[in-house]
Structures are given as structure tokens and as C-alpha cells.
Amino acid sequence: RAFAFAVRIVKLCKFLEKQSGVSKNIINQLLDAATSVGANLEEAVAGQSKADFIHKNAIALKEARESNYWLRLINATNNFRPQIRAGIIELESESMEMARIIAKRIVSTKRNR
């Protein structure tokens, strides 16, 4: 799921670079945060301990929330066609859904220590 999210974000960022007036800095911030979610989840699976697993998931959680921030900012500061706006809103929802799942994963792991 995080990989599919990252793929969609990469495609969105390519579109934004070519088709919009969105600042390259904001695009890069979104790209960094959104692709980091999955990378940190992958690292968590190979964690050396439960503490390491929790730590990597906590980073993924922060990155998912940061992705949501950049998506909301991009949507709020640009006048996109309805189809593009809807796609960005869908990505916003996906970022928060992933954040909720990751948060539950952290809580569950802490409880079972």
C-alpha cells in the first residue's frame, strides 16, 4: 500500500513539475516525505529489535502526516481542474489512512513488548 502510494506521488510530482506553478521546493518536500513512508516501513520489517521496529514505524508515521500536509498545501494554493483536485484529495485521504494504520501498529507493538 505504501509502495502504491509512493508510485502515485512520483507520478503526481512529475505532473506538477511540468503542468503547474507549484514551487519545486514544495514538490521535492512532498516527494521526499511520501517516498520515505514505504522505505521506513521496509526498514521496520528488518528491525533489529522491537524498539527499532517501533522507531522506524514512528518515522513512517511522521512522514505520512507530513505528506498529507504538503498535499493539502498544494491543493489549497493552486486552482487545479476538478479531476486533478480530486486525485490530490484522494492521496490526502490515503496518507491519513496509512498514518492511522501505522499508529495502530506502533500501539500494538508497544502493548506486546
Side-chain angles (χ1 to χ4, degrees):
R1 189 171 187 167
F3 183 82
F5 176 73
V7 168
R8 289 183 64 201
I9 291 291
V10 168
K11 290 178 180 180
L12 172 64
C13 289
K14 285 180 180 179
F15 168 80
L16 292 175
E17 285 177 350
K18 292 178 183 175
Q19 305 292 326
S20 74
V22 177
S23 162
K24 284 190 183 243
N25 184 44
I26 292 173
I27 294 169
N28 289 335
Q29 292 284 350
L30 171 61
L31 189 60
D32 289 347
T35 56
S36 180
V37 176
N40 278 289
L41 291 174
E42 287 290 328
E43 286 186 37
V45 172
Q48 298 172 340
S49 64
K50 279 194 178 184
D52 190 34
F53 179 82
I54 291 167
H55 176 70
K56 295 293 194 281
N57 274 281
I59 294 170
L61 173 59
K62 291 191 316 188
E63 297 292 349
R65 293 186 58 81
E66 182 181 341
S67 298
N68 181 267
Y69 172 82
W70 294 119
L71 288 163
R72 287 185 293 124
L73 182 63
I74 288 167
N75 234 353
T77 58
N78 291 278
N79 192 17
F80 295 116
R81 294 186 320 263
Q83 182 180 2
I84 302 300
R85 184 170 300 284
I88 295 172
I89 290 169
E90 188 178 312
L91 286 167
E92 289 175 33
S93 296
E94 179 65 4
S95 66
M96 290 313 294
E97 180 64 24
M98 285 191 308
R100 284 189 286 279
I101 292 167
I102 296 165
K104 286 180 183 178
R105 193 176 189 186
I106 292 167
V107 169
S108 176
T109 303
K110 285 181 177 180
R111 196 174 321 160
N112 295 326
R113 269 183 154 172

